[in-house]
Amino acid sequence: MVLNESAEKILRSNVNILFDQLEKAVNEYLCNGHSRGEFSFINAYLSATLNAVVSYIERLIEAGRMQELDVVEALKFANNLQKHNPQLIRIFRPNGGFEFPFCIEEDGFEFLEISIVWDECVGLKTRKVSQKESYKKYLQQRKVIDTLKPIVECLLGGREAEIDEHLFTL
């Protein structure tokens, strides 16, 4: 099967636009929104970006231009998680920051960076166990933007064959 040029252009555009908006939402949250704890824009753009990325990858697999690697299984698991169990688990959680009151020790203190990371998939049942294991290995507790960015860059740069487990040797 050949991927129609017009369809591919639309799929690429969707990935580009939605990932850009996800990055903006995460940056806005990190700069201003963490004090309010407002995740709605991150949730919306993360869900849409995952769907767009997985849709594009599935078409590339059908066209024989890509294989279903473990990283792809991890993305599919995250996408299904968003679609079928939105109340069971949050896809991300903030780490770091500080809370009041806090105590300053003699050795000083440290402010941990606030990060938006993929959350644990506690309690989720799936028919394809390998997807859940891949999610744990490649996404869970890693920064959302840092894990999606190399995938998106490969897809948009026409280097889909470069998406593999080597991107995640952090």
Side-chain angles (χ1 to χ4, degrees):
M1 176 183 167
V2 175
L3 181 54
N4 176 288
E5 186 178 327
S6 176
E8 184 166 7
K9 185 177 179 180
I10 291 168
L11 291 166
R12 290 166 59 92
S13 176
N14 290 347
V15 169
N16 187 35
I17 291 167
L18 292 168
F19 182 73
D20 183 57
Q21 292 302 309
L22 174 61
E23 269 191 310
K24 287 179 183 175
V26 168
N27 288 335
E28 174 63 27
Y29 177 85
L30 294 176
C31 291
N32 303 311
H34 64 275
S35 61
R36 296 184 306 274
E38 179 53 52
F39 298 129
S40 61
F41 286 98
I42 295 173
N43 275 330
Y45 287 120
L46 179 57
S47 179
T49 301
L50 273 172
N51 191 46
V53 166
V54 169
S55 295
Y56 187 22
I57 287 174
E58 285 176 340
R59 297 292 294 274
L60 291 169
I61 291 170
E62 288 173 8
R65 292 174 39 195
M66 193 172 173
Q67 294 183 358
E68 187 162 326
L69 303 164
D70 290 347
V71 172
V72 172
E73 284 196 338
L75 292 168
K76 285 183 174 185
F77 181 82
N79 191 46
N80 287 332
L81 185 64
Q82 277 283 349
K83 289 189 294 187
H84 299 298
N85 295 297
Q87 300 305 312
L88 179 64
I89 182 173
R90 292 185 317 168
I91 297 300
F92 61 89
R93 66 184 172 97
N95 281 338
F98 64 94
E99 296 179 5
F100 289 100
F102 67 94
C103 179
I104 300 175
E105 301 290 328
E106 286 182 25
D107 295 337
F109 62 95
E110 175 182 359
F111 290 106
L112 300 174
E113 176 186 3
I114 297 174
S115 300
I116 304 299
V117 299
W118 298 95
D119 207 349
E120 297 175 5
C121 46
V122 177
L124 181 68
K125 294 180 182 176
T126 181
R127 284 184 240 158
K128 198 164 183 184
V129 177
S130 61
Q131 285 185 350
K132 187 173 183 176
E133 292 305 314
S134 292
Y135 175 87
K136 287 179 181 179
K137 183 175 182 181
Y138 295 107
L139 299 179
Q140 185 171 294
Q141 298 303 316
R142 293 180 184 230
K143 292 181 181 179
V144 170
I145 297 299
D146 290 354
T147 53
L148 285 176
K149 188 175 215 124
I151 294 167
V152 168
E153 287 174 347
C154 286
L155 289 173
L156 297 180
R159 302 182 332 269
E160 58 272 357
E162 295 178 24
I163 297 174
D164 62 23
E165 290 77 18
H166 299 293
L167 291 174
F168 297 93
T169 56
L170 305 173

